[in-house]
Amino acid sequence: MRIARFSSGDDVGFGLVDTDAESGQEFVSRISGHPLLGNIQLTGERAKLEDVRLLSPVLPSKVVCIGKNYADHVEEMKHVTGGATAEPVVFLKPSTAVTGPGDPVFYPAASSQVEYEGELAVVIGRMGREVPVERAKEMVFGYTVANDVTARDLQRTDKQWTRAKGFDSFCPVGPWVETGLTVEEASDLRITTTVDGEVRQDARTSALMHPIPELISYVSSFMTLLPGDIILTGTPAGVGPVEPGQRVSVAVEGVGELSNPVVTRE
């Protein structure tokens, strides 16, 4: 299932996204209840997807990010972040960085080098702490797409990543949560990032140095994961700068495409 969070007029709710077999038109069918709490039911309300505004599909208590998880990205960034590490590199983005599909990424005045990082994101479906690797798949609610926007110049000068990664709008997420993929399927998906239609990143999640179950187990070994939390699994090689006026699109095979314009805050 593709579960979206959307607004229509003054109403905000959740819905199931489906495609009409004959017309190819995409629709969203409103559901009652919260998908992460279960007991959801169709309400009978249905609208064309183009007639609603998609929002970030979840509102996480925290966004847990994994750095240096593709060997080719480690190589291209070693002048900034150093070489590979034996254990996953973990950092956090604040919940206030989260924004939805189509929403603007604001280019902060404090930076002159903002870069995209397309990633597969894991959405956590249940509370868990010290989760064994062999049970990690039980924690997964589904998968979505994310862009770990980074002020690279600040990352380089600050020597740690909080400010560079944490600006408002620096974590676009969406367009929905795909719940129909197994962990095994999610572990071999194509991920591409384009800027104004030009391909900048093109890789497969099978190249992850630390696979999804290991990431869930490792993160839960020192912090409790809550329903709705997001784990960004890392970005492949090809990261680079964007400027106001450009549009960044991240697509993950079998999940969806997330597209956001870059703008200057007025």
Side-chain angles (χ1 to χ4, degrees):
M1 291 189 298
R2 294 182 292 175
I3 300 178
R5 181 170 159 267
F6 68 96
S7 65
S8 179
D10 295 329
D11 296 328
V12 174
F14 291 95
L16 305 182
V17 178
D18 64 90
T19 304
D20 183 80
E22 293 185 3
S23 66
Q25 179 76 54
E26 290 186 304
F27 291 87
V28 58
S29 300
R30 186 182 292 270
I31 57 178
S32 62
H34 196 293
L36 287 166
L37 301 178
N39 297 319
I40 62 173
Q41 293 184 336
L42 291 170
T43 66
E45 298 178 60
R46 193 172 187 239
K48 292 181 179 179
L49 192 62
E50 63 188 30
D51 292 337
V52 304
R53 178 190 173 199
L54 291 179
L55 308 172
S56 170
V58 290
L59 297 173
S61 75
K62 53 189 173 291
V63 180
V64 186
C65 307
I66 307 300
K68 302 199 286 187
N69 205 21
Y70 287 82
D72 54 3
H73 178 61
V74 172
E75 181 64 24
E76 74 174 352
M77 290 299 297
K78 64 182 181 181
H79 64 291
V80 177
T81 59
T85 57
E87 295 184 320
V89 174
V90 180
F91 60 96
L92 298 175
K93 281 180 177 277
S95 60
T96 48
V98 174
T99 194
D103 290 341
V105 171
F106 293 105
Y107 202 113
S111 175
S112 60
Q113 188 182 356
V114 172
E115 299 192 356
Y116 56 82
E117 295 188 12
E119 310 200 13
L120 172 70
V122 180
V123 180
I124 299 299
R126 59 190 296 183
M127 185 172 69
R129 184 173 181 273
E130 298 182 349
V131 179
V133 171
E134 58 272 16
R135 298 194 62 183
K137 64 178 62 178
E138 299 173 17
M139 296 287 293
V140 178
F141 177 70
Y143 302 89
T144 189
V145 185
N147 183 359
D148 174 20
V149 183
T150 304
R152 193 72 68 198
D153 51 348
L154 302 184
Q155 183 184 29
R156 186 165 49 246
T157 58
D158 287 359
K159 307 301 182 183
Q160 55 83 38
W161 303 358
T162 302
R163 183 166 67 132
K165 303 279 192 175
F167 284 95
D168 290 357
S169 81
F170 266 30
C171 190
V173 177
W176 42 65
V177 179
E178 172 57 66
T179 65
L181 293 172
T182 65
V183 169
E184 291 75 19
E185 290 170 331
S187 298
D188 188 19
L189 301 175
R190 185 183 183 189
I191 177 170
T192 58
T193 303
T194 62
V195 177
D196 291 343
E198 178 184 348
V199 176
R200 301 289 182 86
Q201 294 181 288
D202 191 346
R204 300 194 70 85
T205 57
S206 55
L208 287 171
M209 298 168 67
H210 301 284
I212 294 168
E214 179 185 335
L215 295 179
I216 294 172
S217 180
Y218 182 77
V219 171
S220 72
S221 71
F222 57 87
M223 69 173 73
T224 300
L225 290 170
L226 301 175
D229 284 349
I230 301 174
I231 298 178
L232 274 56
T233 58
T235 195
V239 301
V242 289
E243 300 294 337
Q246 294 186 306
R247 177 174 287 270
V248 181
S249 299
V250 183
V252 177
E253 176 187 12
V255 180
E257 182 173 356
L258 171 70
S259 184
N260 300 87
V262 181
V263 305
T264 302
R265 190 185 295 273
E266 297 181 357

